Structures are given as structure tokens and as C-alpha cells.
Amino acid sequence: MDWTPYIAGAGIGVLSWLAFLLSDRPLGCSTAYARASGMIERAVRGKAVLDRAYYKQFAPQVDWEVMLVLGIVLGAFATAFLTGEFALVWVPPTFEAAFGPSVPLRIAVALAGGVLMGIGARWAGGCTSGHGISGTLQMALSSWVAVVVFFTSGILSAFLLYGVWP
Amino acid sequence: MKDALKRLRRNAPVQLSLGLAMGVAFGACLQVAGVTRYDVIIGQLLLTDFTVVKVMLTAVAVGTLGVHLMRAAGLADLHIKPGSVGATVVGGAIFGAGFAVLGYCPGTVAGAVGSGALDALVGGVTGILIGAGIFSVLYPRLEASVLGLGKFPTATIPEVLHVNPRVVVVPLVLLIAAVLYALEYLGL
């Protein structure tokens, strides 16, 4: 059997201890995108963006979580580079097998999925990290509901998308 | 010890560095596990590859034991997110659809970018940023209507059941171990 998912999962569990102990916060990712989106829009459209009620709650500035997401990019890059897994890929193999090798199609689909995800993560107040791991390990009621809905909706959508009928 | 922790948690520059360092470790774990790959995530949602479930359940089991022990020792505080049917269930359903269409989540998409997935960078990250921006525009109207419908108590499951956390934590960890054992037994 392959122990890798368990070792990596345990690593994430230990990391969550450190986040609570040293930083007094749970691991989470989606707020970083809200802040980054606000920072980009502010740079393009000016300070009026900051008047939005949502950005009064989540100020568009670099915080711990923005650094965490930047760190994920760096950590995954270093690991992929060291293990020889780094590769520039436009269309993942499973997508290509089902929908063909078109790069514009894959980018359009990824963009649409990303928009839904960005809206949904902020609507639900968290993502697969903030609710799915950090919230559930705290035994938060809202997070257990969220993770069940994330995967139910995700499985149904994937089955529809790939034309799999149970 | 507790005063030193308080000072550390208030030290803003150190916290930014800690966030980056924890992110590097998180990204390394995601990459080693293989969950930065579209094929692995979509395989989980198509129920053909159970790597994502294995990683998440192991993280939750290890995490919940440590966090609850630290909490009992006064070294950690919980941060429970509020929720409601209108926010958590409706938003979660939208998130799940995005999860299947994109094939990454907000954390793994960052890892995928690091591993060289250009669809994650050009499509995924851009899309999530646009989606978050759209939500910030819709927020006042959603706040006044759907987000508050059917509010849940902002509480943990042990608090809702009025029991000691260990009454829920210990059986959950045993249940996770049993589920993971069953997955391996079935060869999934």
C-alpha cells in the first residue's frame, strides 16, 4: 500500500497545530483571494473599491493568509522541482481524454470553475482548507455542514460533467 | 510560555514570515500527496481515486487530537466560523460546482501553479480572483437577503450536544481510522 497520502495528511495535521499555537489561527486559503482581488481592483480602479462593505471586513492588504498562499506556490514548486515532477502543462490528461487537447477550451472551463469557486468560497465563508480541514478538526458545526455540501455538490457536478451516471 | 506566545502572535512581521513558512510546508505536503494534480482531484469527485479523502481525513484526525490537547492545556483557542443554510449550504453548493469544473480548490490551485499547471494559473487563479471580486459587489444584497437564512449556532458539535469535546473527538478519530482501513482493504 502507498503511505504517501497518510504521511502528507499527517504533515498537514501537524501544521495545523503550529498555526493554532504560533499564529492563533486556522489554516485557510480563500480569504487570501478576496484580499488579493481587492488589492488588484484597487490598483486598477482606485480607492473607491475600499468603500465596499466586504472590504471593510476583509481589508485588501497582505496578511498571514496571503503569505500562506504565496508559500504554497513556493513549497509546491520546490518539491516538484526536487522530485522531478515539475512540468508546464496546459491541459491535464484526464481532461484531455474526455474533452480533447484544446487549450482555449481547458482555460475557459478552468476560468468558469474558478469564478464559481471564488463566489462559492466567500459565500460559504471558507474552502476545502478553512472549512474542510481546519473547521472540521475544531468540530465546528458550520464546517461539517460545509464539507458535506462541498463534496456532495462536487461529486454530482463531476458526474454530470463527465457524463457518468450512477 | 503563554506570555511569549502572546508576544509572538502580536508580532506582525514575524507572523507574515510564519505564514509564508507554513505555506511552504503546506505546499510541500500537497505536492508530495499528489493533490496538486487535476487528475487526482477530479478522480476523487468521480470516486475513482481516494487520495483527497485519505489526505483530508488523516489531517483532520491528527489535527483534532493536537488542537484539542493544546486547548485543554490553555495553549490554543478555537476559531469557529458562523454559518447558515443560506450561506453555508447555498455557497457550498456553488463551491462544489466550481470544484468539479475547475478541478482544484483554492489551496491546491496554488500548489498546482507551483508544479507548473498553466490551466491552474491562467484559468483557475484568475477565475477565483474574479469570483471573489464579484462576491464583494454582491455582498450587501446577499447579506440583506439569503446569507442570514436558517442560521446555525456558532458552536462546535460537542457544545451543541452539551458534552465534553473528548466524547466526540475520540470516536471521530477511531471512525476515521476505520474508514481509512476500509478504503485500503477495498483497494481504493
Side-chain angles (χ1 to χ4, degrees):
Chain A
M1 83 177 250
D2 179 12
W3 284 93
T4 321
Y6 303 112
I7 295 164
I12 295 169
V14 171
L15 204 56
S16 75
W17 305 351
L18 295 176
F20 276 95
L21 182 68
L22 303 178
S23 299
D24 189 31
R25 51 190 312 158
L27 294 173
C29 293
S30 65
T31 316
Y33 291 88
R35 293 189 201 274
S37 180
M39 283 187 271
I40 294 167
E41 202 179 335
R42 187 203 160 160
V44 176
R45 298 182 49 191
K47 278 192 171 177
V49 172
L50 301 181
D51 293 336
R52 259 178 231 159
Y54 198 68
Y55 292 138
K56 305 266 183 213
Q57 275 185 50
F58 299 98
Q61 58 194 32
V62 173
D63 75 335
W64 186 93
E65 201 170 304
V66 173
M67 296 303 282
L68 185 86
V69 173
L70 292 175
I72 293 175
V73 179
L74 294 176
F77 169 72
T79 308
F81 187 75
L82 291 172
T83 56
E85 286 173 324
F86 182 85
L88 293 175
V89 178
W90 281 102
V91 184
T94 310
F95 187 91
E96 184 172 345
F99 307 107
S102 163
V103 173
L105 176 67
R106 173 56 192 152
I107 297 305
V109 169
L111 194 67
V115 170
L116 283 173
M117 172 160 277
I119 295 172
R122 297 326 309 150
W123 196 308
C127 64
T128 355
S129 313
H131 270 312
I133 295 177
S134 301
T136 54
L137 73 83
Q138 296 181 77
M139 297 292 164
L141 181 64
S142 61
S143 298
W144 278 98
V145 173
V147 76
V148 168
V149 178
F150 288 169
F151 277 90
T152 306
S153 166
I155 289 166
L156 289 174
S157 305
F159 274 39
L160 279 173
L161 203 62
Y162 275 82
V164 182
W165 301 99
Chain B
M1 175 78 176
K2 284 178 191 173
D3 284 341
L5 275 178
K6 256 186 202 163
R7 278 198 302 277
L8 178 69
R9 290 167 180 177
R10 283 196 199 127
N11 188 329
V14 170
Q15 284 303 322
L16 289 182
S17 310
L18 272 175
L20 186 70
M22 289 190 211
V24 169
F26 197 5
C29 288
L30 295 173
Q31 178 64 28
V32 166
V35 293
T36 56
R37 285 175 49 210
Y38 172 91
D39 308 84
V40 172
I41 293 179
I42 209 72
Q44 179 64 69
L45 297 179
L46 293 171
L47 306 177
T48 55
D49 179 330
F50 282 77
T51 306
V52 173
V53 163
K54 291 176 188 176
V55 172
M56 285 182 74
L57 288 182
T58 310
V60 171
V62 171
T64 199
L65 288 173
V67 168
H68 280 93
L69 286 172
M70 289 194 299
R71 189 187 179 212
L75 295 173
D77 296 308
L78 299 187
H79 299 275
I80 304 301
K81 290 176 188 274
S84 67
V85 173
T88 316
V89 177
V90 178
I94 299 169
F95 180 92
F99 198 12
V101 174
L102 174 56
Y104 306 103
C105 60
T108 53
V109 79
V113 169
S115 75
L118 295 165
D119 60 328
L121 176 66
V122 179
V125 171
T126 310
I128 298 174
L129 290 171
I130 294 170
I134 292 172
F135 184 81
S136 77
V137 174
L138 298 178
Y139 178 72
R141 264 171 289 171
L142 295 173
E143 173 72 17
S145 55
V146 66
L147 293 181
L149 294 178
K151 277 191 177 139
F152 308 145
T154 305
T156 66
I157 293 170
E159 283 164 3
V160 173
L161 299 175
H162 299 289
V163 294
N164 187 295
R166 73 171 74 97
V167 176
V168 178
V169 170
V170 174
L172 176 79
V173 171
L174 295 174
L175 180 67
I176 287 175
V179 168
L180 294 177
Y181 185 83
L183 283 177
E184 292 297 335
Y185 184 80
L186 295 169
L188 290 170

